[in-house]
């Protein structure tokens, strides 16, 4: 099992540009989570999906952020336009079910917005 | 969301047991206690979880008090590679897992 796969590992972009982060969950997992980690705020849950449907997006900072899960094997987190304060490590995690199952995290995407 | 409270940092001598406490006084009856750790900037790694009984696996043991308001993660023989940030979190029925600040465990030679 390859685990949760995120791409790219590192992304450097300029303020105002669109950024798309990608995630492939573990096959057979029904739930997918996007987290953001910064020194100031720690690990924050942005949004999570169950069976490809967004369940809770209350952690999404603002309208510049959007997430999609078009099928069970792929999800994207898009920031448009990006700002320097979006610089962080973005983690994707999946679990077999939404409740009471352990999370499997990817290696993260280190995003730097200049 | 129910919250957890952990000490910000702890030290442990290599080869000794590391006991990491967590308070979760507002835990609901159907919420599980989960422990994860994060080494450097890697993604958090699952360690163990439990509802009300004590649990043990190849990595650690989890002791949950009878009233479920606190728990302790035990690493029986800490090694230098166990140096990491340890998170105690609660898993809600709605599926949300909210991470707090965690405990930075430093294992010293």
């Amino acid at each position: 099992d390859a685990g949760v796969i995120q791409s790219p590992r590192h992304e450097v972009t300029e303020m105002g540009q669109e950024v798309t982060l990608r995630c492939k969950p573990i096959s057979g997992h029904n739930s997918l989570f996007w987290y953001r980690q910064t020194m100031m705020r720690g690990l924050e849950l942005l949004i999570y999906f169950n069976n490809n449907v967004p369940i809770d997006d209350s952690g999404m900072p603002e309208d510049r952020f959007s997430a999609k899960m078009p099928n069970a094997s792929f999800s994207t987190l898009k920031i448009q336009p990006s700002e320097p304060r979006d610089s962080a490590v973005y983690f994707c995690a999946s679990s077999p079910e939404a409740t009471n199952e352990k999370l499997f995290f990817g290696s993260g995407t280190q995003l730097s917005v200049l | 969301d129910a919250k957890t409270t952990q000490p910000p940092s702890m030290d442990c001598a290599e080869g000794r047991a590391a006991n990491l406490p967590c308070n979760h006084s507002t835990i609901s009856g159907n919420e599980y206690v989960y422990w994860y750790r994060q080494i450097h900037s890697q993604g958090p790694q699952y360690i163990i979880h439990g509802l009300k009984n004590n649990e043990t696996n190849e990595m650690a043991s989890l002791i949950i008090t009878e009233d479920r308001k606190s728990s302790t993660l035990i690493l029986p023989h800490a090694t230098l590679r166990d140096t990491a940030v340890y998170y105690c979190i609660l898993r809600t029925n709605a599926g949300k897992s909210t991470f707090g600040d965690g405990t930075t465990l430093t294992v010293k030679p």
Side-chain angles (χ1 to χ4, degrees):
Chain A
D1 194 335
V4 176
I5 299 173
Q6 291 188 247
S7 64
R9 288 298 307 274
H10 303 276
E11 176 79 35
V12 180
T13 189
E14 291 186 347
M15 182 174 62
Q17 296 297 306
E18 178 180 294
V19 174
T20 299
L21 311 181
R22 297 172 176 79
C23 176
K24 177 179 170 55
I26 293 173
S27 177
H29 281 192
N30 294 326
S31 297
L32 184 139
F33 303 76
W34 282 101
Y35 284 87
R36 176 174 70 175
Q37 186 171 37
T38 61
M39 289 292 292
M40 291 294 294
R41 301 174 68 90
L43 264 167
E44 302 174 275
L45 177 63
L46 301 178
I47 185 171
Y48 78 94
F49 297 82
N50 195 38
N51 294 320
N52 311 337
V53 176
I55 303 300
D56 188 335
D57 64 355
S58 60
M60 296 286 264
E62 47 197 275
D63 292 345
R64 297 185 298 107
F65 285 70
S66 63
K68 294 182 179 180
M69 193 163 186
N71 57 62
S73 59
F74 184 65
S75 176
T76 60
L77 178 67
K78 185 177 292 186
I79 308 173
Q80 166 63 22
S82 59
E83 297 181 2
R85 60 188 168 131
D86 302 329
S87 298
V89 180
Y90 290 81
F91 289 105
C92 174
S94 70
S95 71
E97 295 291 341
T99 60
N100 295 327
E101 287 282 355
K102 60 185 179 183
L103 300 176
F104 295 79
F105 282 80
S107 298
T109 294
Q110 173 76 59
L111 173 65
S112 297
V113 183
L114 306 178
Chain B
D1 296 336
K3 296 186 183 294
T4 62
T5 304
Q6 300 176 252
S9 63
M10 293 182 63
D11 291 343
C12 177
E14 187 178 20
R16 304 297 295 269
N19 297 281
L20 293 90
C22 179
N23 286 320
H24 31 80
S25 58
T26 59
I27 190 171
S28 299
N30 53 5
E31 286 180 315
Y32 282 69
V33 179
Y34 278 74
W35 284 83
Y36 291 80
R37 72 180 183 184
Q38 187 174 26
I39 298 173
H40 299 300
S41 298
Q42 299 176 20
Q45 174 193 24
Y46 167 83
I47 301 173
I48 198 168
H49 74 283
L51 182 63
K52 57 177 110 176
N53 297 322
N54 298 338
E55 302 287 343
T56 296
N57 63 20
E58 66 279 3
M59 291 182 69
S61 294
L62 174 61
I63 308 297
I64 302 175
T65 58
E66 192 169 342
D67 63 8
R68 302 211 324 125
K69 293 185 176 182
S70 66
S71 60
T72 301
L73 177 74
I74 301 172
L75 308 178
H77 305 286
T79 71
L80 298 179
R81 288 176 294 179
D82 292 322
T83 292
V85 179
Y86 287 78
Y87 296 99
C88 166
I89 68 171
L90 304 179
R91 198 77 191 270
T92 70
N93 276 340
K96 292 181 72 168
S97 293
T98 302
F99 285 74
D101 294 332
T103 295
T104 298
L105 174 68
T106 303
V107 180
K108 299 185 174 181

